[in-house]
Amino acid sequence: MLEQSTTVQGPPRVHSLKAGSVGLVGVVFMALASAAPITAMTGNLPVVIGGGTGLHAPAGFVFVTLVLTVFTVGYVAMARHITTAGAFYGFVSYGLGRVAGMASGLLAVLAYVVFEASVVGIFAYFAQQTARSQFGVQWPWEVFALAMLAVTALLSYFDLEVAAKVLGVFLVGEVLMLLLWGGAVLVHGGGDGGLRAGALNPAGAFSGVNAGVGLFACFWSWIGFESTAMYGEESRNPKRIIPRATLAVVVGLGVLYTFVAWMVVAGNGAGAVDVAAGSSPLDLFLAPARRLLGPWAVSTFQWLMCTSAFACGMAFHQCASRYLYALGREGFLLPALGRTHPRHGSPYVASGVQSLIALAVVGGFRAAGQDPYASLYTLTAILGTLALLVVQTLCSFAVIAYFRRHHPETRHWFRTFTAPLLGGLGMIAAIVLLVMNLDTAAGPASRTLFFRLIPWIVGAVLLGGVLFALWMRARSPRRYELMGRLVVENTREREG
């Protein structure tokens, strides 16, 4: 059972998620699937190389690894005390108050809701290309998009363990392929310029034709790592599992991304920038794969690009469902969202609503005649990333505020002050970079109305969350006290 961890009397009876569904490995798989290594590399690395930091792309990933590791130190410090499916929503509520908490909660909902639709777009694009090249069939991209939405909805209806197992199989395959591909380039000594070890110098992160675009695309590649905290209520021993899983995901992705980016630059040589900026940026991966490993590697790469995107979309579906569930069980938005399945313990109502929302977003882009990759994937990913960076910034400062008032026994000059402060400043810098380079990041899609509305959508949701919380404080103080404060009974906030 869940209960309110405040002094308000008479907390509402709510439905619980199924406790103990996943262990450390399962949580790591869910978070890594959200980041989708092959999708991140094939979708974002060409942007980093072709329009960002050029041959210094590996340095960009080194720099972002450092920034996110520092952010994570404060994030996991809070996760050791608070376990909630709302993650950022709960963390910010405890640290900066309920008004900021509701604003961050709605922004997080916006981000994860559109992320699933975004990934459906790139999955449909990859699947369409793969079906055409390997089977000679030309099916509309909408067929693949609808298939992904349907299968995701079905799997998400069951226990989280089912989704974790499916994602685990896909994830192992894509990571092994990336390592095999990179190992082949390493063993062969790279391309015409050798291994180019200088590309790893972090100072190079600010080089190239547009370092802002490059660093933004690097940050984009980690989106989803923070989802570990959302599975705290369904994990075994969350006070230990969630912090370990989060650090493992951030550092593990950093090492993998840096290595792959280094091998891409080394394997393609001086021509990497031209290939990345050309009409076939996937040749950054497929050409070396064909040359060094053979045709089978190209086919395998194409299939894994599809499974990676599918796994990523399903992981984001899980994230969005749990945010909707967290708000619903507190009686906000639609209270029915807070219901869980009596047998599987899944947030099946929230999951069904998320499926309908994703379908509506995909359908809207289709009705507008937009491309699944250039528009659906790119624009919704930019919208979600901007919203999530704002939430992560608020979370960083929430950690500082929380530990100033609570738990002096775990307060620490670096973990609970310096690290979250530096992480917050890093997130602010990322937001500035994104806003300054929105046109470049969006590419041809920057001419659409949706693109021009992106900053206004984020601002409207943020302001809407603030106004809603203030209205609830004035009209219904008892319900206001619940905002972001429901936690699992056996993992409730420890008293200092």
Side-chain angles (χ1 to χ4, degrees):
M1 172 182 173
L2 289 160
E3 70 175 26
Q4 176 188 347
S5 72
T6 69
T7 58
V8 177
Q9 299 300 312
R13 183 176 182 85
V14 294
H15 293 247
S16 302
L17 295 168
K18 184 178 179 180
S21 295
V22 288
L24 175 62
V25 174
V27 173
V28 169
F29 277 175
M30 296 295 292
L32 286 176
S34 299
I38 276 189
T39 300
M41 290 291 91
T42 57
N44 300 341
L45 188 53
V47 176
V48 180
I49 295 174
T53 50
L55 298 181
H56 296 281
F61 285 100
V62 172
F63 176 77
V64 175
T65 299
L66 295 175
V67 171
L68 291 179
T69 300
V70 170
F71 165 81
T72 303
V73 170
Y75 184 68
V76 300
M78 199 125 177
R80 289 190 174 96
H81 292 280
I82 299 171
T83 301
T84 172
F88 287 132
Y89 171 48
F91 290 2
V92 175
S93 178
Y94 272 98
L96 298 180
R98 294 167 177 83
V99 174
M102 178 56 70
S104 66
L106 293 183
L107 276 179
V109 168
L110 169 67
Y112 290 114
V113 160
V114 299
F115 276 146
E116 181 182 0
S118 175
V119 177
V120 168
I122 198 171
F123 168 81
Y125 172 78
F126 284 159
Q128 186 183 47
Q129 298 297 313
T130 301
R132 182 171 58 198
S133 65
Q134 298 199 21
F135 301 116
V137 298
Q138 182 64 48
W139 290 349
W141 68 266
E142 297 88 347
V143 172
F144 300 102
L146 290 174
M148 177 176 173
L149 288 168
V151 175
T152 299
L154 177 63
L155 291 176
S156 299
Y157 179 80
F158 297 101
D159 189 328
L160 183 63
E161 185 178 3
V162 175
K165 288 179 178 178
V166 173
L167 296 182
V169 172
F170 290 162
L171 178 66
V172 170
E174 63 180 294
V175 171
L176 287 178
M177 189 65 210
L178 284 173
L179 292 176
L180 177 62
W181 179 91
V185 176
L186 182 64
V187 169
H188 284 79
D192 55 16
L195 291 178
R196 299 177 180 270
L200 295 168
N201 185 349
F206 304 95
S207 305
V209 297
N210 195 325
V213 170
L215 289 175
F216 159 67
C218 289
F219 272 105
W220 190 352
S221 301
W222 264 269
I223 290 297
F225 82 88
E226 72 293 332
S227 64
T228 52
M230 298 177 206
Y231 305 113
E233 296 183 10
E234 297 160 274
S235 65
R236 308 177 193 109
N237 196 359
K239 301 300 183 186
R240 296 182 61 187
I241 282 179
I242 300 307
R244 290 180 180 181
T246 309
L247 283 170
V249 169
V250 169
V251 176
L253 285 175
V255 173
L256 178 63
Y257 288 163
T258 301
F259 173 68
V260 172
W262 179 27
M263 290 301 100
V264 165
V265 168
N268 290 274
V273 175
D274 291 334
V275 174
S279 59
S280 301
L282 290 180
D283 284 345
L284 287 173
F285 298 88
L286 300 184
R290 183 179 292 106
R291 183 176 71 251
L292 302 177
L293 296 173
W296 71 269
V298 175
S299 298
T300 303
F301 226 106
Q302 290 176 322
W303 281 113
L304 287 172
M305 283 159 50
C306 297
T307 59
S308 173
F310 173 81
C312 179
M314 187 160 73
F316 279 135
H317 179 96
Q318 303 290 343
C319 295
S321 299
R322 277 148 186 79
Y323 266 104
L324 291 171
Y325 160 79
L327 289 167
R329 73 184 182 185
E330 294 179 357
F332 305 119
L333 296 183
L334 181 65
L337 294 171
R339 295 175 58 187
T340 56
H341 193 279
R343 177 182 176 185
H344 305 300
S346 61
Y348 72 110
V349 176
S351 177
V353 170
Q354 168 57 21
S355 294
L356 293 176
I357 295 173
L359 178 62
V361 174
V362 173
F365 274 81
R366 169 63 183 85
Q370 297 296 306
D371 182 81
Y373 179 78
S375 295
L376 176 57
Y377 170 66
T378 301
L379 293 180
T380 50
I382 290 175
L383 171 60
T385 300
L386 179 57
L388 202 56
L389 285 174
V390 173
V391 175
Q392 289 176 345
T393 302
L394 291 172
C395 185
S396 293
F397 296 112
V399 173
I400 298 174
Y402 177 77
F403 282 99
R404 286 189 63 185
R405 301 191 304 269
H406 304 285
H407 304 294
E409 77 282 1
T410 55
R411 192 179 301 151
H412 188 270
W413 69 271
F414 181 73
R415 287 194 305 271
T416 60
F417 179 76
T418 306
L421 176 62
L422 293 175
L425 294 176
M427 295 299 167
I428 291 175
I431 293 171
V432 172
L433 287 173
L434 174 55
V435 172
M436 290 176 60
N437 295 281
L438 273 179
D439 288 2
T440 307
S446 62
R447 295 187 291 270
T448 64
L449 173 63
F450 188 89
F451 169 79
R452 294 193 293 272
L453 292 176
I454 285 176
W456 296 99
I457 293 172
V458 173
V461 172
L462 179 66
L463 179 60
V466 170
L467 295 177
F468 177 72
L470 292 175
W471 181 78
M472 289 299 300
R473 185 171 68 183
R475 297 292 300 272
S476 183
R478 185 173 180 276
R479 290 185 63 200
Y480 171 79
E481 290 295 320
L482 292 176
M483 285 186 179
R485 301 306 174 99
L486 285 177
V487 298
V488 165
E489 180 178 346
N490 64 352
T491 56
R492 65 188 302 177
E493 185 204 15
R494 296 196 298 266
E495 299 296 329

